[in-house]
Amino acid sequence: MTTSPSRTLPRIAMVGTGGTIAGAGTASNGLPSAAYQAAVVSASDLISHVPQLARLAELQVEQLLQIDSADFTDDKLLRLARRVAALCARDDVDGVVVTHGTDTMEESAYFLHLTVKSPKPIVLTGAMRPGTALAADGPANLLHAVAVASHPGSSGRGVLVVMNEEIHSARDVAKVHAMRLDAFASPHGPLGLVAEETPRWYRALTRPHTTQSEFDITAIDTLPLVGVVSSHGNMRQEIYEAWVALGARAIVHAGFGGGTVPAYLADYLSMLRARGVLLVRASRTGAGPVIRNANADDDAQGWVVTDDQNPPRARLLAALALAHHDSPEALQQVFWRY
């Protein structure tokens, strides 16, 4: 489907994957924003409810997936990245917008950020409320995402997430609230904002991405298994052992505070390296750097620390790095670099 025949407008490919932005209320209790079914509205129908899009871009719309983003698997993530890369390689596409559920949007955005080698704008957006809710946020988010993807100043900035009038880098952004419209935030702040359907930029990303990344989706067939274990009181080593039994090549330990490893797990976790499994120390807080050799002897243990990557992003970066590197020293350099 194409909106606006004007050839002077930027040509934006919109890829629908479902999520709340494609949801509709199901409740009869007057609370349609709390009770709804995700992924029931097509991408074509989404744009039909935002006629203002026609003045911003010539849209090419396709429905790649129609799922709740909680149902994203690595296979689906690879499929999305391959499709976005293929669209970016086309001469008749100036940028890509992906509509996505918010639960795993930060993971999909980060994976695209690391693996799609194109300077063209790639923007993900979604909604915290379905279209049937009072004051639904999806239409405005979609309008702003297309505005950002259509703007020449958005090129070369890596993959972006546009929500609630803010423009975030896929390297930093995370969903930090279960319900509010300002559910997405970055620990270092957004890159900019959207005002009057135009992006305004206030900071730039310095870590490598897209065209500068060593990872390339066109050369990735599968991802090695990497597990995540979140810390809590009274932890059990059997959870780690389950990941080992499944064939995980690395386990992200989402530790307390600065990635702390409980003393009662230290002996067990120190043996993982001898069994061919890397331990990656992250923080369950989701923000702030994990300092190497601060509250653990990472050098002696052969452990890796994440810098400031949160556990979900650390899982993806570790999986990508393991396709190129085996040693903890090499993986550590990857985490310092990205």
Side-chain angles (χ1 to χ4, degrees):
M1 179 178 178
T2 301
T3 66
S4 178
S6 172
R7 295 183 180 179
T8 64
L9 293 174
R11 297 158 299 181
I12 302 300
M14 178 176 150
V15 180
T17 69
T20 297
I21 193 171
T26 59
S28 59
N29 59 3
L31 298 173
S33 63
Y36 65 93
Q37 183 177 352
V40 295
V41 179
S42 71
S44 295
D45 284 342
L46 285 180
I47 67 169
S48 70
H49 296 297
V50 191
Q52 300 91 331
L53 291 169
R55 66 171 178 257
L56 293 176
E58 179 181 335
L59 290 177
Q60 309 166 28
V61 183
E62 64 180 74
Q63 193 77 50
L64 182 70
L65 299 166
Q66 187 68 302
I67 62 173
D68 187 310
S69 71
D71 294 326
F72 256 92
T73 61
D74 284 353
D75 286 342
K76 290 183 174 65
L77 185 56
L78 289 167
R79 181 182 172 191
L80 173 61
R82 291 180 186 123
R83 185 57 187 153
V84 171
L87 289 168
C88 286
R90 284 170 38 176
D91 291 336
D92 63 341
V93 171
D94 299 313
V96 177
V97 169
V98 179
T99 56
H100 197 292
T102 59
D103 284 347
T104 59
M105 184 189 294
E106 64 195 80
E107 296 175 57
S108 294
Y110 186 55
F111 190 76
L112 298 175
H113 184 76
L114 292 175
T115 63
V116 178
K117 300 182 77 64
S118 174
K120 294 179 181 179
I122 301 169
V123 181
L124 278 75
T125 195
M128 293 301 296
R129 298 171 180 168
T132 51
L134 182 65
D137 56 325
N141 287 341
L142 179 56
L143 181 68
H144 295 154
V146 172
V148 172
S150 302
H151 197 277
S154 303
S155 298
R157 295 182 182 270
V159 174
L160 305 168
V161 171
V162 173
M163 294 284 289
N164 198 40
E165 300 181 350
E166 293 183 331
I167 310 169
H168 293 271
S169 169
R171 186 200 178 271
D172 299 331
V173 72
K175 185 176 181 178
V176 297
H177 197 279
M179 294 188 67
R180 287 190 338 204
L181 299 187
D182 60 343
F184 282 77
S186 299
H188 309 299
L191 299 182
L193 54 82
V194 183
E196 299 296 320
E197 300 176 7
T198 303
R200 297 187 183 185
W201 304 99
Y202 297 105
R203 72 178 184 92
L205 187 65
T206 61
R207 301 294 180 100
H209 55 75
T210 53
T211 57
Q212 296 86 37
S213 173
E214 68 192 83
F215 311 112
D216 185 347
I217 188 57
T218 63
I220 300 171
D221 294 324
T222 60
L223 292 176
L225 185 64
V226 176
V228 178
V229 177
S230 184
S231 292
H232 55 83
N234 196 41
M235 296 180 71
R236 300 291 295 271
Q237 72 183 46
E238 287 84 354
I239 305 302
Y240 298 86
E241 193 63 30
W243 280 113
V244 175
L246 288 169
R249 292 185 57 192
I251 298 174
V252 177
H253 169 79
F256 307 104
T260 302
V261 172
Y264 56 81
L265 285 178
D267 288 344
Y268 169 78
L269 295 181
S270 69
M271 295 187 294
L272 288 181
R273 184 68 191 123
R275 299 171 66 185
V277 181
L278 284 166
L279 187 77
V280 179
R281 291 200 302 118
S283 172
R284 74 173 190 178
T285 66
V290 176
I291 306 300
R292 188 169 180 83
N293 296 320
N295 58 17
D297 193 341
D298 296 298
D299 288 343
Q301 301 286 6
W303 293 345
V304 176
V305 300
T306 60
D307 191 16
D308 67 339
Q309 294 290 15
N310 68 11
R313 285 197 296 270
R315 179 188 78 87
L316 292 169
L317 184 54
L320 288 168
L322 283 167
H324 296 260
H325 311 286
D326 289 320
S327 71
E329 294 81 10
L331 256 73
Q332 186 61 74
Q333 291 304 312
V334 169
F335 273 95
W336 289 151
R337 189 158 59 249
Y338 291 93

